Amino acid sequence: MTDPAASSTKPRVLSCMQPTGDVHLGNYLGALQPWVAGQHRNDAFHGIVDLHALTVTDKPGVVGQAAVELAAMFFAVGLDPDVATVFVQSHVPEHNQLGWVMECTISFGELSRMTQFKDKSAKREQDFISGGLFTYPALQAADILLYDTNQVPVGDDQRQHIEITRDAALRFNHRFGETFVLPEAVTPAAGARVMSLQDPSSKMSKSDDSDAGCVYLTDDPKAVMKKFKRAVTDSETGPDSVRFDREIKPGVSNLLEIHAAVTDRTPQAVSEEFEQYGALKVATGEAVLAVLDPIRERYNELMEDRGELARLLKIGAERARGVAAATLERAYTNIGMLPA
Ligand code: TYM
């Protein structure tokens, strides 16, 4: 097996996903599909960020199982372990170490402005809101900066976290000298913000109130078709009613964008093929299933061989540590920490 991290001149790409429940179509179109598409032209690192999942974990035995399932999904969608480095965040302790440095580099005010914290803490109003939920973007900044990352392929909802990472890198470099590469967010042309099929004004999310609005990659085909057939649209009729206009027609536009993302076209091009919502819903469900069917099969196969998954994750962690340890060392040296 070659070591892709060893002497690559390709752009360094890093992106991660939380092992908190099943992967949905928004995760796939906003992140996984672009990761797979980019793995050959980039030097790609993809993390299963189990430490981030601890912000909302309060039961034993859940995170590890979710991490191995997410690893199987990363490989099932097509990440090639010979090409991309796939690792579990807690296997690379430099994330915690640089995470603390980042907490001391990002201000309380900056963390307070994070919309994801405001949304998530509002949703958990009656629940336990951990300090980690608040400081989470500092750990995310560490995830990114540890790998000298040039590009972070993410969905739209992560843009603010990449911005705060850039600000942290700039501040650190200003205080302690050139240390970190400035990363930029990259979002896909179609699929950067997949909306709920039941409420197209809110993004598709694991914490959706209704399961009917969220398509999971492991849903059985009947369930997927049912969700698409029941997708909320609007009451307009006529041959021109199928058109892409996110403001005025959020439900229809969401279907067009999903369809476009799985068939590698533009939403406008897809809209020209349809005159009725019913036909659009069925065709979109079928186009999505054409992509999900083989993924589901590979996922089930991979989950049969835990030993192989563990082996691949061990190799990934070793490669990741090779890069992360050097960056942490550079940061400590530039700060002027007393060597151990
Ligand atoms: P997470 O685990 O919530 O989501 C993983 C990826 O899926 C994208 N995504 C979506 N894209 C389009 N439409 C949607 N409805 C949708 N829902 C989710 C997200 O934008 C993301 O790209 N904080 C991150 C995890 C993280 C990370 C990192 C990402 C930790 N460290 C370093 C990049 C780099 C998160 O919670 O993503």
Side-chain angles (χ1 to χ4, degrees), residues 126-186:
Q126 312 295 338
D127 226 328
F128 179 78
I129 299 170
S130 66
L133 204 58
F134 184 68
T135 57
Y136 173 119
L139 183 58
Q140 180 161 352
D143 300 338
I144 296 168
L145 298 179
L146 272 177
Y147 295 89
D148 293 333
T149 302
N150 304 111
Q151 294 175 359
V152 190
V154 281
D156 228 19
D157 61 348
Q158 292 299 317
R159 278 192 174 277
Q160 202 184 23
H161 290 163
I162 316 305
E163 277 309 307
I164 205 175
T165 301
R166 283 175 69 88
D167 293 345
L170 278 169
R171 186 172 300 136
F172 187 100
N173 288 352
H174 181 71
R175 285 179 178 170
F176 302 112
E178 261 333 286
T179 308
F180 296 121
V181 172
L182 289 192
E184 57 171 6
V186 182

Side-chain angles (χ1 to χ4, degrees), residues 272-310:
E272 282 157 22
E273 286 174 20
F274 297 95
E275 292 193 346
Q276 286 180 343
Y277 295 164
L280 171 66
K281 290 180 190 180
V282 169
T284 303
E286 285 169 353
V288 166
L289 276 180
V291 172
L292 295 194
D293 284 345
I295 293 176
R296 193 182 332 101
E297 268 170 41
R298 276 198 300 275
Y299 173 80
N300 290 334
E301 276 166 30
L302 286 159
M303 282 302 288
E304 300 274 297
D305 194 350
R306 300 291 185 101
E308 177 60 5
L309 287 171

Side-chain angles (χ1 to χ4, degrees), residues 4-336:
S7 60
S8 178
T9 52
K10 295 172 175 176
R12 175 67 55 75
V13 156
L14 170 125
S15 197
C16 305
M17 195 170 282
Q18 290 195 63
T20 42
D22 292 340
V23 179
H24 57 70
L25 194 59
N27 298 134
Y28 179 71
L29 298 178
L32 294 172
Q33 183 174 261
W35 299 358
V36 172
Q39 65 182 332
H40 292 283
R41 62 171 187 274
N42 299 310
D43 179 17
F45 283 71
H46 293 296
I48 294 155
V49 285
D50 53 351
L51 298 172
H52 284 277
L54 295 188
T55 56
V56 292
T57 297
D58 55 9
K59 286 186 189 63
V62 177
V63 181
Q65 173 64 19
V68 80
E69 289 172 3
L70 189 55
M73 190 52 86
F74 276 19
F75 296 125
V77 297
L79 282 178
D80 177 349
D82 284 339
V83 175
T85 299
V86 172
F87 64 96
V88 174
Q89 186 187 31
S90 65
H91 298 175
V92 184
E94 286 78 9
H95 286 256
N96 306 64
Q97 292 171 284
L98 193 67
W100 176 251
V101 175
M102 286 299 121
E103 278 191 49
C104 301
T105 309
I106 296 174
S107 74
F108 180 83
E110 284 169 319
L111 291 171
S112 310
R113 286 194 287 278
M114 293 294 107
T115 51
Q116 281 227 330
F117 172 71
K118 290 187 210 164
D119 291 351
K120 287 191 180 175
S121 53
K123 272 191 186 164
R124 297 176 68 82
E125 209 173 42
Q126 312 295 338
D127 226 328
F128 179 78
I129 299 170
S130 66
L133 204 58
F134 184 68
T135 57
Y136 173 119
L139 183 58
Q140 180 161 352
D143 300 338
I144 296 168
L145 298 179
L146 272 177
Y147 295 89
D148 293 333
T149 302
N150 304 111
Q151 294 175 359
V152 190
V154 281
D156 228 19
D157 61 348
Q158 292 299 317
R159 278 192 174 277
Q160 202 184 23
H161 290 163
I162 316 305
E163 277 309 307
I164 205 175
T165 301
R166 283 175 69 88
D167 293 345
L170 278 169
R171 186 172 300 136
F172 187 100
N173 288 352
H174 181 71
R175 285 179 178 170
F176 302 112
E178 261 333 286
T179 308
F180 296 121
V181 172
L182 289 192
E184 57 171 6
V186 182
T187 51
R193 194 168 180 81
V194 177
M195 310 308 276
S196 160
L197 297 183
Q198 284 300 307
D199 173 11
S201 67
S202 65
K203 72 170 182 177
M204 186 176 284
S205 147
K206 292 166 191 170
S207 50
D208 252 7
D209 293 340
S210 97
D211 230 26
C214 187
V215 175
Y216 295 101
L217 303 200
T218 48
D219 273 348
D220 76 72
K222 274 195 195 138
V224 172
M225 283 310 291
K226 197 166 163 189
K227 287 177 185 183
F228 276 100
K229 282 183 183 162
R230 290 188 178 175
V232 168
T233 48
D234 55 58
S235 54
E236 196 181 331
T237 51
D240 199 27
S241 56
V242 179
R243 60 180 195 283
F244 188 67
D245 183 333
R246 252 190 257 260
E247 292 292 306
I248 298 174
K249 302 177 71 68
V252 173
S253 300
N254 191 37
L255 290 171
L256 289 171
E257 187 156 344
I258 290 171
H259 200 125
V262 289
T263 54
D264 200 18
R265 288 182 296 167
T266 63
Q268 287 79 4
V270 176
S271 72
E272 282 157 22
E273 286 174 20
F274 297 95
E275 292 193 346
Q276 286 180 343
Y277 295 164
L280 171 66
K281 290 180 190 180
V282 169
T284 303
E286 285 169 353
V288 166
L289 276 180
V291 172
L292 295 194
D293 284 345
I295 293 176
R296 193 182 332 101
E297 268 170 41
R298 276 198 300 275
Y299 173 80
N300 290 334
E301 276 166 30
L302 286 159
M303 282 302 288
E304 300 274 297
D305 194 350
R306 300 291 185 101
E308 177 60 5
L309 287 171
R311 190 184 72 84
L312 294 175
L313 290 175
K314 193 157 184 275
I315 294 170
E318 276 163 19
R319 281 190 207 146
R321 282 203 84 174
V323 178
T327 313
L328 180 71
E329 176 74 30
R330 194 165 74 231
Y332 274 10
T333 302
N334 290 356
I335 296 169

